[in-house]
Amino acid sequence: MSKIAIFYGPDGGSVNRVADIIKDKIGEDKVEMVAVKSATAADIEKYDKIIFGLSTVGKDTWDSEYSTNDWGKFMPEISKTDYSNKVVAVFGLGDHITYGHAFVDHIGVLGKELMKNGAALVGPVSTDGYEFDESEAVVDGKFIGLPIDEDFEPELTEERVVAWLEVLRPDFEF
Ligand SMILES: Cc1cc2nc3c(=O)[nH]c(=O)nc-3n(C[C@H](O)[C@H](O)[C@H](O)COP(=O)(O)O)c2cc1C
């Protein structure tokens, strides 16, 4: 069975920590970890089952001052791939207290770019249980990926991940 790739960035922060939790829950032997800071579209092509993980670290997109971070560099690679035959999901870190007006916006930015390139995202998440004012990650009343807030709700991370992985399980075949 083909491996599930977790493309994550940045390295060494909350995204990395949650990516590790997801890897452990799926099973280390079934997962390949790929740090986006040194990845290209050729790496995306190697996998047919991909979970992308990122954080929102600015209200604007990666074009602005954040263009030098891991995802800023990797983002242009996203649109070089056709995702119509791949199984794809997204999780994203955010802070619902300080940035409730832009909560996990980059799940939305990335998710919409993936959909533009043929992806049917697996694992939409109900907004029930989340407090926020606005989020670009909400499409048709649901988050299009899994929001995690390690800054203010770290105690909810594990249960949110576990519930989400149950939704992903049939499509990702683990
Ligand atoms: C400069 C800066 C801007 C941020 N902007 C947002 C934001 O717009 N929306 C949001 O939900 N979280 C925002 N956050 C919170 C981060 O997404 C959150 O702390 C996340 O856990 C960081 O994960 P990382 O350490 O893996 O990058 C911001 C954090 C920083 C430092």
Side-chain angles (χ1 to χ4, degrees):
M1 197 177 293
S2 64
K3 288 215 174 187
I4 298 168
I6 302 179
F7 280 72
Y8 69 94
D11 251 346
S14 298
V15 172
N16 199 161
R17 196 160 58 247
V18 174
D20 284 340
I21 295 172
I22 292 173
K23 174 193 69 182
D24 291 343
K25 298 283 177 198
I26 293 175
E28 203 168 349
D29 53 319
K30 299 178 188 149
V31 173
E32 206 82 59
M33 300 294 275
V34 184
V36 302
K37 70 171 178 205
S38 47
T40 66
D43 297 300
I44 301 175
E45 287 299 342
K46 290 182 204 160
Y47 302 97
D48 53 15
K49 296 182 281 188
I50 305 176
I51 298 173
F52 291 101
L54 78 179
S55 52
T56 302
V57 284
K59 234 177 102 39
D60 305 320
T61 64
W62 291 278
D63 302 339
S64 63
E65 68 248 56
Y66 300 102
S67 61
T68 54
N69 74 15
D70 295 9
W71 267 97
K73 288 189 209 133
F74 184 63
M75 194 56 191
E77 300 298 307
I78 287 290
S79 52
K80 295 178 185 169
T81 299
D82 171 31
Y83 298 88
S84 37
N85 292 316
K86 296 185 188 294
V87 182
V88 182
V90 177
F91 72 91
L93 274 289
D95 160 351
H96 82 288
I97 300 289
T98 322
Y99 301 98
H101 58 290
F103 181 51
V104 294
D105 268 4
H106 284 176
I107 292 180
V109 175
L110 172 62
K112 285 168 194 170
E113 195 58 32
L114 289 165
M115 291 193 280
K116 219 192 282 177
N117 290 282
L121 293 182
V122 180
V125 173
S126 168
T127 56
D128 293 352
Y130 289 92
E131 276 181 39
F132 64 101
D133 296 321
E134 277 184 55
S135 175
E136 261 197 63
V138 175
V139 175
D140 295 333
K142 287 193 162 190
F143 292 112
I144 56 176
L146 174 70
I148 295 287
D149 184 343
E150 278 282 278
D151 297 340
F152 287 98
E153 297 174 329
E155 72 284 1
L156 296 178
T157 296
E158 182 161 357
E159 66 189 69
R160 284 173 168 168
V161 166
V162 167
W164 190 59
L165 288 179
E166 284 313 307
V167 180
L168 264 52
R169 190 183 290 282
D171 290 298
F172 278 85
E173 299 176 308
F174 59 87

